[in-house]
């Protein structure tokens, strides 16, 4: 595990008596991982805060939970208005780090807690080799397939692009509505895109960490998607650019989809609807993809109000093995610390998450350390679906996205 920032400011060491001796209210704005009021993240935080405040009577934690549709904008407005929260658990940290608005992680956490982060995730929280973002939740992606549809058709899970296309062709011939769901709609097109780019040997950035959206590998990947899947009617009746991830997942739980890329929460949704499914690593051109996509959400602490000592003490508690595991179990997500990951791997009740855990060490994350990523991601969501439309050119669309990305990067 990567012990980043070993020259640490230890004011945030867990159990600090000074942290207990001051009357302080810390404000945390957090994202909601639940899909209803019954499993809202507010319940998780309320329970955790109650336990913490019982042991630290001088500190109050005020947590407000907002949907993913609103939480990033909520924090952005609070900061712009001069009322930054003490902590925010949201989707990106780099913009705030670039403006020197965040504490460094080694100004907050005790060394054992900081060193316990999964190294792949901790590194993704760095800007110029300094960690500002603390991973809070993570997941990887696997290819889900409908076991009944595959068994009825005498198919085996695909291991390569040609296997996937051949299976989709058979499923189509048997009347399956969506042989392969390709959600390139505005909701989360950047995720489906990245999975395919990685499986084709490319990605969002080149070897020197500059954007490389129009690389030869990426163009070849979208040429293949357009010609071998979309043009042959293997992605269903809805144009990929108009298909959102949530709709694709819902169709899978209805039994209308043969294959699609999914994250751990899809397991529970499919099981509730009685859909029997299997999961395999994302196929590559000639075999298993060399890398899979990982996603992390972030905790960060703003400097505006001070309270580094109290914030650090609370976050040490948040990142205890017990609390990390409880959150991961509640929302079918992967732990962000080594100890919790090892505990999950050893627990027979967590076997369903083993395939996702195994992919985490090989996962590639979004280029979240770039302040330009938010804009580039938004552009991809808006434009990438056009790359597989009948009259469009993948080369032209990816070229346009690359020019915009390079301009955004140069303005960082």
């Amino acid at each position: 595990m990567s012990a980043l920032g070993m020259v640490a400011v230890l004011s945030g060491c867990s159990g600090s008596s000074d942290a207990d001796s001051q009357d302080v209210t810390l404000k945390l704005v957090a994202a909601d991982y639940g899909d209803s009021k019954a499993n809202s993240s507010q319940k998780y935080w309320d329970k955790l805060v109650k336990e913490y405040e019982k042991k630290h009577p001088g500190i109050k934690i005020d947590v407000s939970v907002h949907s993913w549709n609103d939480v990033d904008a909520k924090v952005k407005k609070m900061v712009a208005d001069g009322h930054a929260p003490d902590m925010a658990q949201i989707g990106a940290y780099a913009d705030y780090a670039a403006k020197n608005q965040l504490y460094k992680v080694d100004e907050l956490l005790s060394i054992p807690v900081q060193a316990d982060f999964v190294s792949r995730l901790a590194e993704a929280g760095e800007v110029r080799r300094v960690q500002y973002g603390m991973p809070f939740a993570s997941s990887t992606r696997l290819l889900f397939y409908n076991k009944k549809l595959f068994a009825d058709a005498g198919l085996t899970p695909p291991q390569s692009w040609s296997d996937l296309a051949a299976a989709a062709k058979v499923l189509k011939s048997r009347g399956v509505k969506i042989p392969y769901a390709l959600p390139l709609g505005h909701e989360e097109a950047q995720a489906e895109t990245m999975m395919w780019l990685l499986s084709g040997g490319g990605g969002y950035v080149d070897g020197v960490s500059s954007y490389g959206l129009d690389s030869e590998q990426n163009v070849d990947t979208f040429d293949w998607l357009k010609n071998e899947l979309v043009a042959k009617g293997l992605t269903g009746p809805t144009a990929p650019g108009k298909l959102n991830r949530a709709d694709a997942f819902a169709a899978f739980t209805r039994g209308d989809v043969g294959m699609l890329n999914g994250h751990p929460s899809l397991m529970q949704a499919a099981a509730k609807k009685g859909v029997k499914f299997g999961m395999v690593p994302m196929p590559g051109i000639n075999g298993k993809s060399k890398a899979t996509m990982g996603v992390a959400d972030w905790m960060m602490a703003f400097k505006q109000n001070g309270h580094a000592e109290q914030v650090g003490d609370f976050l040490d508690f948040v990142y205890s093995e017990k609390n990390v595991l409880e959150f991961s179990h509640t929302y079918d997500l992967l732990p962000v610390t080594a100890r919790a990951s090892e505990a999950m791997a050893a627990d027979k009740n967590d076997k369903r998450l083993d395939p996702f855990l195994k992919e985490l060490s090989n996962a590639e994350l979004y280029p979240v350390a770039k302040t330009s990523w938010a804009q580039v991601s938004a552009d991809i969501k808006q434009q990438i679906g056009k790359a597989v439309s009948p009259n469009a050119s993948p080369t032209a669309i990816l070229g346009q996205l690359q020019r915009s990305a390079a301009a955004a990067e140069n303005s960082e």
Side-chain angles (χ1 to χ4, degrees):
M1 294 296 104
S2 174
L4 303 173
M6 296 302 285
V7 184
V9 178
L10 296 179
S11 62
C13 290
S14 184
S16 165
S17 59
D18 288 341
D20 296 344
S21 64
Q22 303 176 35
D23 291 329
V24 170
T25 296
L26 303 177
K27 183 167 184 60
L28 166 62
V29 178
D32 194 352
Y33 289 80
D35 56 11
S36 67
K37 190 174 181 180
N39 70 345
S40 168
S41 295
Q42 190 73 54
K43 289 189 173 183
Y44 169 82
W45 285 111
D46 287 349
K47 179 182 177 183
L48 183 148
V49 164
K50 183 178 180 181
E51 182 179 350
Y52 182 81
E53 290 180 345
K54 185 176 181 180
K55 297 177 182 178
H56 303 79
I59 301 179
K60 299 294 182 184
I61 312 294
D62 175 15
V63 183
S64 59
V65 172
H66 303 271
S67 78
W68 274 109
N69 293 331
D70 304 323
V71 69
D72 287 285
K74 175 78 173 176
V75 172
K76 185 176 182 179
K77 186 176 189 305
M78 292 174 71
V79 174
D81 290 346
H83 303 297
D86 296 283
M87 295 162 281
Q89 187 274 296
I90 51 178
Y93 66 87
D95 280 357
Y96 303 116
K99 296 174 183 175
N100 197 32
Q101 294 171 323
L102 301 179
Y103 283 112
K104 301 172 185 177
V105 174
D106 62 14
E107 294 176 312
L108 300 167
L109 300 181
S110 63
I111 288 177
V113 173
Q114 187 180 0
D116 195 33
F117 287 128
V118 173
S119 59
R120 196 80 160 178
L121 302 178
E123 290 164 6
E126 295 179 359
V127 174
R128 297 182 179 88
R129 298 183 181 272
V130 177
Q131 188 180 359
Y132 296 92
M134 292 162 274
F136 183 75
S138 69
S139 70
T140 55
R141 301 292 195 264
L142 293 171
L143 182 75
F144 283 66
Y145 64 95
N146 184 306
K147 279 189 170 182
K148 183 177 187 307
L149 295 178
F150 267 62
D152 290 348
L155 296 170
T156 57
Q159 297 181 11
S160 67
W161 286 5
S162 58
D163 290 346
L164 188 149
K169 184 176 180 181
V170 172
L171 292 171
K172 181 185 179 185
S173 72
R174 295 177 62 85
V176 175
K177 292 182 180 179
I178 308 174
Y180 177 81
L182 183 65
L184 296 178
H186 296 173
E187 179 193 359
E188 206 189 31
Q190 84 285 359
E192 184 73 12
T193 297
M194 184 170 173
M195 284 181 271
W196 277 101
L197 297 185
L198 290 173
S199 74
Y204 284 136
V205 294
D206 59 24
V208 293
S209 297
S210 295
Y211 288 113
L213 277 77
D214 61 349
S215 69
E216 181 180 353
Q217 296 97 322
N218 292 347
V219 170
D220 287 347
T221 294
F222 267 82
D223 278 338
W224 187 88
L225 286 172
K226 178 183 177 181
N227 297 325
E228 300 301 323
L229 292 185
V230 181
K232 294 183 178 180
L234 302 180
T235 55
T238 302
K242 296 185 180 299
L243 180 65
N244 284 326
R245 181 203 59 175
D247 297 326
F249 279 17
F252 187 79
T253 66
R254 294 194 302 269
D256 292 339
V257 175
M259 299 169 281
L260 84 171
N261 289 313
H263 50 61
S265 67
L266 182 57
M267 295 188 298
Q268 189 175 32
K272 283 181 179 179
K273 294 294 184 70
V275 173
K276 294 184 178 180
F277 59 89
M279 302 177 297
V280 293
M282 178 69 179
I285 298 174
N286 296 309
K288 178 187 172 183
S289 177
K290 293 180 180 179
T292 188
M293 188 187 79
V295 176
D297 301 322
W298 302 95
M299 177 73 76
M300 63 212 70
F302 288 89
K303 296 193 293 186
Q304 180 179 318
N305 303 321
H307 307 318
E309 188 172 352
Q310 294 86 354
V311 168
D313 191 77
F314 175 64
L315 290 177
D316 272 4
F317 178 73
V318 168
Y319 283 105
S320 68
E321 180 182 326
K322 177 180 76 73
N323 288 328
V324 171
L325 278 173
E326 182 174 348
F327 184 84
S328 300
H329 286 144
T330 301
Y331 298 106
D332 274 334
L333 292 165
L334 303 183
V336 295
T337 64
R339 285 183 299 171
S341 295
E342 290 164 1
M344 178 176 281
D347 190 338
K348 63 181 181 181
N349 294 321
D350 287 327
K351 288 300 180 185
R352 71 192 188 284
L353 288 169
D354 271 358
F356 293 96
L357 272 174
K358 289 176 181 176
E359 293 296 309
L360 187 58
S361 62
N362 193 40
E364 294 285 344
L365 279 71
Y366 297 130
V368 291
K370 292 179 176 292
T371 58
S372 58
W373 170 242
Q375 182 58 54
V376 173
S377 177
D379 289 345
I380 291 168
K381 290 179 183 180
Q382 293 294 323
Q383 301 295 330
I384 198 64
K386 299 175 184 176
V388 295
S389 60
N391 299 316
S393 161
T395 300
I397 298 298
L398 289 169
Q400 176 185 333
L401 286 168
Q402 172 60 23
R403 289 189 292 276
S404 297
E409 185 175 32
N410 290 336
S411 65
E412 288 185 2

